[in-house]
Amino acid sequence: MSHWAMQFGSCFSWNDVAGAAYSMDGTSWTAFTPTYQVDPSQSCVTTPVFKYSVGTTGSAKTYYKLILSRNYDVDPNAFGYYKSGVRTGCCTFSFNGVGCPAAIWCAFSQGYWFAQRQTVWCQNVTFGANSYTQAQGQNI
């Protein structure tokens, strides 16, 4: 495998990427500056992807990590592809990747959400007859 790449859901913000790295032994990590762009080396995905430009050799393992500054859900059907050799084609697969939160909210009180400055709201919070954005809730 020469490299692999993944796509993210519509809720994903590239600003939440704090770093990325790969390792050939799972211990010594090599950091790199990640990008989210179209990969012209293949022909099966024409939208932006996050690409790990290091692959595997034979049966040896390669380890990968992506460091995010915000919590995301796990998407058990995240989309990715891998490419082998010099051909322009690729093979797609699904894996446990970065996902968007479900549209269902827990039954926490409005006070809980107003107090959670680090949590990104995926919808407004209703208190009585009023609906508040995250910024408005944090100002209360």
Side-chain angles (χ1 to χ4, degrees):
M1 177 177 81
S2 67
H3 66 272
W4 74 279
M6 70 176 101
Q7 289 183 316
F8 299 106
S10 60
C11 69
F12 187 78
S13 171
W14 190 249
N15 292 331
D16 293 333
V17 175
Y22 64 89
S23 173
M24 304 314 261
D25 61 9
T27 304
S28 302
W29 291 91
T30 302
F32 66 94
T33 302
T35 59
Y36 196 59
Q37 61 193 24
V38 175
D39 175 10
S41 75
Q42 50 76 43
S43 60
C44 65
V45 181
T46 58
T47 55
V49 293
F50 168 61
K51 178 179 171 183
Y52 281 99
S53 293
V54 63
T56 59
T57 303
S59 62
K61 292 182 179 180
T62 304
Y63 302 85
Y64 307 92
K65 69 178 168 180
L66 177 64
I67 304 162
L68 303 175
S69 61
R70 174 181 153 204
N71 288 331
Y72 283 91
D73 284 355
V74 173
D75 178 357
N77 295 306
F79 176 81
Y81 73 84
Y82 63 92
K83 183 174 177 238
S84 296
V86 294
R87 53 185 265 265
T88 58
C90 59
C91 298
T92 61
F93 65 97
S94 11
F95 66 104
N96 289 329
V98 179
C100 296
I104 301 169
W105 278 44
C106 297
F108 290 121
S109 71
Q110 292 84 356
Y112 170 86
W113 291 108
F114 290 171
Q116 300 300 311
R117 298 190 73 77
Q118 75 280 5
T119 302
V120 176
W121 298 7
C122 63
Q123 68 187 37
N124 291 347
V125 171
T126 301
F127 184 67
N130 298 313
S131 178
Y132 298 96
T133 66
Q134 182 170 3
Q136 291 168 324
Q138 290 176 342
N139 285 330
I140 294 177

